[in-house]
Amino acid sequence: ITVSDIFESAVGKFSGTEFIQSIQVNPKWFKKKRTGKVIVPDGRFIQELFVKQVRNSGNSPLASDQMRGTISYREAAIGIYILKKKFMKFKEPHIGLMFPASASFPVIFLSVLFSGKIPVLVNWTTGSRSVVEMMDMLNVRSIITSRVFTEKLSSLGTDLSALNDRFIYAEDVASSVKLTTKISSAIKIRLFPGLLHGKSYPDTAAILFTSGSESIPKAVPLTHENILSNIRDAINSFTLYNRDSFIGILPPFHSFGLTVTILLPALCGLKTCYHPNPTEGRIIAKLINAYKTSVMIATPTFLDTIAQNAEPEDLEALRLVVAGAEKCPLRLYDYIENNWPKLRIIEGYGITECSPVVSVNREDNPVRGSIGKLLPSFEYSIINPDTGEQVNEGESGILLLRGPSVFGGYLNHSGKSPFITFNNLQWYNSGDIVKEEHGSLFFTGRLKRFIKLGGEMISLPLIEDILSDSFRGNEGEVVIAVDSNANDDNPEIILFHSIDLTRTEANSILREKGLSPIYFIRKTIKIDEIPKLGSGKTDYRKLRSLVS
């Protein structure tokens, strides 16, 4: 293996029919695994767990994509050993990483961790200005990325020129490694994988940023304890077997992408096939078929696109989809059940500040429309947003959380604290409205996504969900969004749409679903397309800018 090989998978070069016809899978990918359920190794640091997996898994596949092919655990360890020495020379404690989902990324991320530095995940979809602000907030002067990737982004209209002086290109790092270094590193790691370890590691394992769908992104530091607690909780909440394999499509700056599709499989001895563009449903369906992947973590929007573009045989190997980041439409449950009856969707709920999985439905008894039961290590309370008192079962309120997966606070943040005191204990205030019925939680919406009309709390997500069930574009495309004018004195419900739709038609549907006139749309705005963040969520900040 060469360091160049590690980076070649940073971004795909094929698309459409050309890509699909070229899909090839190394026979090593199908190497038989031991039987039984997955167990998370003991250890305080992510690095400890990975070294144990290198010893246990050795030549078993870790990751694959169509550019790099298949990388084994041992090959990844050799690449990490070489790269960590490069990263140790960086003066700053933080190193930015800007890559899509790819077989190279677990190697690069772990290389930074083993070097004793803290990786900062760069969300390039927020735009150059926002990225510069986020990097300045943490004094990040170096961002590791791929020249091919940045050129691809530039060709798609993403202007990142303001970051040019911070970019360190992976291709240049690769070309600087001598052949003798590659050979000696391969021998050392094969014999002594423990040489990967450094003298000491910071408690912080990664810094991500909030989605920015409703406000300016905030820096979220997650510790090793946060992430490992979350992984151990997840393994105890849905069943994974040693024979399972993942399809990884979420970008690394997405908290689900980092914890559940990169670190969880890597630390549990599982393998993951990656694809850099989560919106390419047809290609992803063909990859699932070719690699026979059995588990996927995805947003409902991405899952919908995959399902709409899949042939019946494409998803036959897929047994489990954990869906999160947005509500899963009931029609998507029906579509999956009718076409792939063996495939189980278990809807969950997560927050970047909670590392991120908070709750998930259980496979043996999933409840449609529910976000499931909380993970084992969480404590929770649900309080009335007006009185601050505990609500009764079945009543909606703000979800408060405590536990080892909850972060310690935003970095360099001068705004309101995310923590509140309730019953003499400190809790993380999620800002999300939920209710509990028969042991399952139901997500009602963000507190910020409610408005008060006539003394009644109006849920904008409820209106949006009803209209979304009636209006959907080609291949599951989102064509409507609901927000308000953010005027507390005279709030108005606004419908954004990219299809031909009148206010009267929309309100007729709301009336048919039993909503009172207080919920009706007051204004409509037609736009070319509903803006999306890189996570697939609707960009409400951009929509509000259209109103203002």
Side-chain angles (χ1 to χ4, degrees), residues 231-369:
I231 288 174
R232 291 184 172 111
D233 264 356
I235 293 297
N236 289 325
S237 300
F238 51 87
T239 305
L240 293 176
Y241 300 94
N242 288 308
R243 66 176 181 272
D244 276 324
S245 58
F246 279 61
I247 178 76
I249 60 172
L250 298 178
F253 62 73
H254 191 297
S255 54
F256 276 96
L258 178 64
T259 296
V260 192
T261 67
I262 294 170
L263 292 177
L264 185 152
L267 301 181
C268 293
L270 300 177
K271 55 191 176 183
T272 306
C273 167
Y274 292 99
H275 185 67
N277 189 344
T279 67
E280 293 179 333
R282 183 164 176 254
I283 292 174
I284 295 167
K286 295 302 178 185
L287 287 170
I288 292 170
N289 189 2
Y291 282 85
K292 306 303 177 189
T293 56
S294 54
V295 178
M296 179 167 68
I297 314 299
T299 67
T301 296
F302 295 151
L303 173 60
D304 199 359
T305 303
I306 294 165
Q308 297 295 334
N309 285 275
E311 300 293 336
E313 66 274 12
D314 288 338
L315 305 188
E316 285 183 354
L318 204 59
R319 70 171 184 85
L320 181 66
V321 175
V322 182
E326 59 186 354
K327 186 174 181 179
C328 189
L330 296 181
R331 59 164 187 79
L332 181 54
Y333 278 105
D334 292 336
Y335 188 80
I336 293 292
E337 186 174 288
N338 291 335
N339 289 276
W340 298 279
K342 295 180 181 179
L343 173 55
R344 181 64 56 89
I345 299 176
I346 56 171
E347 192 169 356
Y349 157 77
I351 307 170
T352 301
E353 292 88 338
C354 294
S355 308
V357 187
V358 172
S359 66
V360 69
N361 274 275
R362 303 312 194 252
E363 294 167 80
D364 57 347
N365 187 29
V367 179
R368 285 192 178 191

Side-chain angles (χ1 to χ4, degrees), residues 123 126 209-215 217-218 352 533 535 537 541:
N123 181 354
T126 61
F209 290 86
T210 56
S211 66
S213 60
E214 297 164 2
S215 62
K218 296 181 283 289
T352 301
L533 298 168
S535 62
K537 293 181 180 179
R541 282 182 68 198

Side-chain angles (χ1 to χ4, degrees), residues 11 62 76 101-102 121 177 179 185 232 234 242 299 333 340 372 378 380 407 411 416 455 463 537-539:
V11 65
L62 164 69
S102 61
L121 287 305
V177 180
L179 177 60
S185 298
R232 291 184 172 111
N242 288 308
T299 67
Y333 278 105
W340 298 279
F378 279 103
Y380 73 104
F407 84 138
L411 294 176
K416 185 178 179 181
I463 301 170
K537 293 181 180 179
T538 297
D539 189 343

Side-chain angles (χ1 to χ4, degrees), residues 44-80:
R44 177 187 170 192
F45 292 98
I46 288 168
Q47 295 92 320
E48 292 179 67
L49 275 68
F50 183 73
V51 170
K52 288 181 179 180
Q53 286 302 344
V54 173
R55 291 191 173 112
N56 292 337
S57 301
N59 289 324
S60 296
L62 164 69
S64 186
D65 64 27
Q66 283 299 288
M67 290 304 301
R68 167 61 186 91
T70 298
I71 302 173
S72 71
Y73 275 82
R74 183 171 291 121
E75 288 171 331
I78 295 167
I80 291 167

